[in-house]
Amino acid sequence: MTLFRLAVALSALLLAGCKNTDIPDEIASIFVEASPTSGGTMRQEVRLPVSGLAITVMTRPLVPAEEILGTHPMTSGDPDLRQDFLLVQLDRKAAVDVMNYSKEGIGRHFVLVINDTAVGIMPIDQQIVDGNLMFHVEKKGLSNSEAVMDISKRLNISALKIRKIKEAERK
């Protein structure tokens, strides 16, 4: 994913007649971990900001920003190992795409990318049939729970702005 893609998306929104305040600050997309056999031009490496974990992902997102409905902070795990996660809810089209991919992609990962920065990772342990993805997220200078709350708040604002833009285009 390049800065060019983000610039084109924002330019398109401006050309659509949107006010500057209606343009989302964060464009979130969900990418899939690339298979070792995929071609070099179809792959790119992203790195999580705190752990430094590098993941090679496909260059095209499986779930673009307009297919993300919203996010919620979630706590999950065994009672003495509980951790905070970011629940990302997808629209019907994206949920079907994720369901189809996750059936074959067990053992790989979904990667949450905001603008050009990887911020979250989710292992694919089983087929996902409900359109809900739970990401472990990272943000420099913030604890796990603070990062979840901050990213959730910002992505919900952006999802609302994107929804308003889509509704205005339909009129």
Side-chain angles (χ1 to χ4, degrees):
M1 185 161 72
T2 65
L3 225 33
F4 178 73
R5 179 179 169 262
L6 178 62
V8 169
L10 292 177
S11 297
L13 293 174
L14 284 173
L15 291 175
C18 301
K19 300 176 196 165
N20 284 343
T21 57
D22 289 343
I23 297 173
D25 295 324
E26 284 87 17
I27 305 294
S29 301
I30 298 171
F31 289 78
V32 295
E33 183 176 7
S35 72
T37 58
S38 59
T41 59
M42 298 174 58
R43 303 160 40 124
Q44 67 181 2
E45 185 177 282
V46 295
R47 189 172 300 276
L48 291 170
V50 176
S51 65
L53 178 66
I55 305 123
T56 303
V57 296
M58 301 302 289
T59 55
R60 188 170 163 216
L62 179 66
V63 180
E66 59 271 10
E67 295 176 0
I68 295 175
L69 296 176
T71 65
H72 300 283
M74 296 284 297
T75 303
S76 182
D78 294 328
D80 46 340
L81 298 173
R82 295 186 73 72
Q83 203 174 26
D84 292 318
F85 293 90
L86 180 68
L87 175 71
V88 177
Q89 296 177 309
L90 309 176
D91 71 8
R92 187 174 300 164
K93 180 193 176 308
V96 169
D97 292 342
V98 164
M99 181 178 69
N100 292 334
Y101 179 81
S102 64
K103 182 178 181 181
E104 303 297 325
I106 293 173
R108 294 199 187 128
H109 295 86
F110 289 119
V111 179
L112 179 64
V113 174
I114 298 177
N115 299 338
D116 284 331
T117 305
V119 297
I121 188 167
M122 176 189 161
I124 304 171
D125 298 328
Q126 61 187 7
Q127 185 177 23
I128 299 158
V129 295
D130 62 359
N132 293 314
L133 305 177
M134 285 181 47
F135 287 92
H136 171 77
V137 295
E138 300 180 355
K139 188 170 180 187
K140 282 191 177 183
L142 297 180
S143 70
N144 172 248
S145 5
E146 291 169 333
V148 168
M149 296 301 286
D150 179 65
I151 292 170
S152 179
K153 176 183 163 192
R154 292 182 308 130
L155 290 186
N156 283 333
I157 291 169
S158 292
L160 179 62
K161 288 180 179 182
I162 290 170
R163 233 180 346 266
K164 285 182 180 180
I165 291 168
K166 284 175 62 176
E167 287 173 9
E169 288 174 353
R170 289 185 203 141
K171 291 181 182 180

